[in-house]
Amino acid sequence: MPGENFVLRTTPEETAAIADASISDLAQRLARRLQEAPTPPATGDPAYPLALLHVLDQLQQATERLQRQAATDAARAGAGYPQIGAACDMTRQGARRRWPGLFHHSTERPTEQPTMTTPARPFDVLLVEDDMADAMLIEEALSERGTRNLVQVTDGVAALEYLRAPGSVRPDLIVLDLNMPRMNGHDLLKVLKTDENLQAIPVVVLTTSNAPDDVTGAYTSHANAYVTKPVNLDEFEQAVQSIDAFYLDTATRPRP
């Protein structure tokens, strides 16, 4: 993958010292320029350190904007979250949290290496999930495999409204949480599997619960699979991509 051979000829400490010295010099020159003073004022005058503080704050904001742009450019050039994280001395998960969505809503093939083979076409997935953080992780995991047509709703009532609305796209797969407001996953599953127009759509329960009653209840209501959400982010992503790979790549689906 492009970016795998990214190396620096300095240690992190040496790089930090060079960066600190350069930023300090730049900030002092900018502060004096803003004050229209060729040299710093006398010790004890708060005007200059306050001007310096203002400049440093602006430089920090500029750095954050430039880092986001650099991360985006790196992703477009072929780097993945592991390489982007390594460039900033952070983990892959840290880079994902800091710059989410670098590979999301792209018209190009995702550049981060997927866990499974990318599907031949963009499948339609309905995600019934009220946790926004989990929804974002699921959406990113799916988008990395090419599954871009994802609709997210936050409870069973909204899911049925979407599925039964005229003109709605029939999903290839429904990913369902259990604990939700208004209509929970258990109740929605019972409705889906007794509705002649919807019962053939594969439904995978993806939830934090591993309680035996929840597992048994889901399969009794004819869930196609039950997956407990892993706590580890990498394992979470792999679980979602494994669901996607089996139901959208391997399994034969009924014709619309």
Side-chain angles (χ1 to χ4, degrees):
M1 175 186 291
E4 285 183 337
N5 297 323
F6 165 76
V7 292
L8 290 174
R9 295 182 179 179
T10 59
T11 66
E13 293 75 15
E14 290 171 336
T15 302
I18 293 170
D20 286 352
S22 298
I23 292 298
S24 176
D25 179 66
L26 174 62
Q28 291 182 54
R29 286 190 285 112
L30 289 173
R32 291 195 295 269
R33 181 176 176 182
L34 290 174
Q35 289 189 308
E36 297 183 348
T39 58
T43 303
D45 184 349
Y48 177 72
L50 287 174
L52 186 61
L53 183 62
H54 170 73
V55 169
L56 288 170
D57 179 67
Q58 295 299 312
L59 286 175
Q60 182 178 16
Q61 294 181 46
T63 299
E64 291 173 357
R65 291 191 294 270
L66 291 171
Q67 282 184 320
R68 171 74 194 194
Q69 185 58 55
T72 301
D73 291 343
R76 288 174 177 169
Y81 277 118
Q83 291 76 35
I84 293 170
C88 299
D89 195 25
M90 64 175 65
T91 63
R92 176 176 184 268
Q93 295 92 337
R96 183 189 294 278
R97 286 192 295 268
R98 187 167 182 178
W99 300 294
L102 293 181
F103 305 93
H104 184 43
H105 295 315
S106 170
T107 57
E108 302 174 354
R109 182 177 62 84
T111 52
E112 184 172 8
Q113 291 295 321
T115 302
M116 305 294 178
T117 304
T118 302
R121 69 173 179 84
F123 297 110
D124 297 291
V125 177
L126 175 63
L127 173 61
V128 191
E129 170 67 73
D130 66 329
D131 187 305
M132 292 299 104
D134 283 356
M136 183 183 75
L137 290 173
I138 293 168
E139 188 168 4
E140 287 189 352
L142 291 174
S143 69
E144 289 174 12
R145 299 200 68 252
T147 307
R148 303 185 184 282
N149 298 340
L150 184 141
V151 172
Q152 186 225 340
V153 295
T154 56
D155 58 52
V157 173
L160 290 175
E161 289 175 348
Y162 171 79
L163 290 166
R164 291 171 174 170
S168 288
V169 175
R170 181 185 177 89
D172 296 288
L173 175 69
I174 297 174
V175 178
L176 175 64
D177 189 21
L178 289 183
N179 301 313
M180 298 179 294
R182 296 204 297 178
M183 179 186 288
N184 63 34
H186 288 294
D187 293 337
L188 174 60
L189 187 57
K190 292 175 183 177
V191 174
L192 292 174
K193 293 304 182 180
T194 55
D195 187 314
E196 291 184 359
N197 295 319
L198 304 174
Q199 62 188 198
I201 303 173
V203 179
V204 176
V205 174
L206 180 63
T207 184
T208 56
S209 173
N210 59 2
D213 287 347
D214 283 335
V215 177
T216 300
Y219 282 116
T220 299
S221 297
H222 306 291
N224 295 86
Y226 190 106
V227 179
T228 302
K229 294 177 182 176
V231 175
N232 178 277
L233 288 178
D234 279 338
E235 292 176 0
F236 187 104
E237 181 179 279
Q238 290 175 3
V240 173
Q241 292 182 343
S242 296
I243 293 168
D244 177 75
F246 178 75
Y247 282 98
L248 301 182
D249 283 355
T250 305
T252 301
R253 297 176 304 280
R255 294 182 179 272

